[in-house]
Amino acid sequence: MCSDTDDMRSVGARASSRWAWGRALRIRLCRMACIAGLVFSAPALAQDDAPPGMKRYFMVFLIGAPGRGPMPDALFEQHMAYIRRMVGEHVYKLAGPLTDRDRIAGIIILSAPSIEAARGIVAADPSVRAGVFSVEVHPALLPSLEGLTL
């Protein structure tokens, strides 16, 4: 599973500077993905039905096309600006790339009133609008992320 040693040191040495997000964020992202994996099988619950300390979120997987190359710099900057705006507006609770260059290119954990709203939020990302990524959106029941700062 995930641990502090999963900081992708070997990948980070080869990664371009635009993907070097920082060790702490990668560790948090890995831990939250592990926790999310444990609760994905939970039945759909209304927010009011969530157990104490838990909250309903949506986990988004950014799916890249097979054999995709690097994102054009201008589009990457627009994508990052959108992510920063969503984090600043407290919509995105956690976001980041996966570095194994596999099918899932990144994950986002976000807060929204419904799955339709969550889909609309991620559909507005310039990289999704440009067709670089498609998305999968899944409801998740996670420990509250309200105190998490990025």
Side-chain angles (χ1 to χ4, degrees), residues 31-55:
R31 286 180 181 158
M32 291 311 302
C34 291
I35 291 169
L38 297 174
V39 296
F40 268 141
S41 60
L45 297 172
Q47 185 60 50
D48 296 339
D49 296 337
M54 302 292 278
K55 186 171 178 190

Side-chain angles (χ1 to χ4, degrees), residues 28-100:
R28 286 181 185 164
L29 187 60
C30 185
R31 286 180 181 158
M32 291 311 302
C34 291
I35 291 169
L38 297 174
V39 296
F40 268 141
S41 60
L45 297 172
Q47 185 60 50
D48 296 339
D49 296 337
M54 302 292 278
K55 186 171 178 190
R56 183 175 50 120
Y57 294 99
F58 295 94
M59 180 160 287
V60 178
F61 296 98
L62 297 175
I63 310 299
R68 70 185 179 276
M71 191 183 307
D73 289 341
L75 183 57
F76 179 78
E77 290 304 320
Q78 294 171 6
H79 169 66
M80 292 305 299
Y82 186 78
I83 290 173
R84 284 190 290 274
R85 191 179 85 188
M86 291 296 101
V87 169
E89 292 176 8
H90 306 288
V91 175
Y92 284 9
K93 301 302 180 181
L94 197 66
L98 301 182
T99 59
D100 59 4

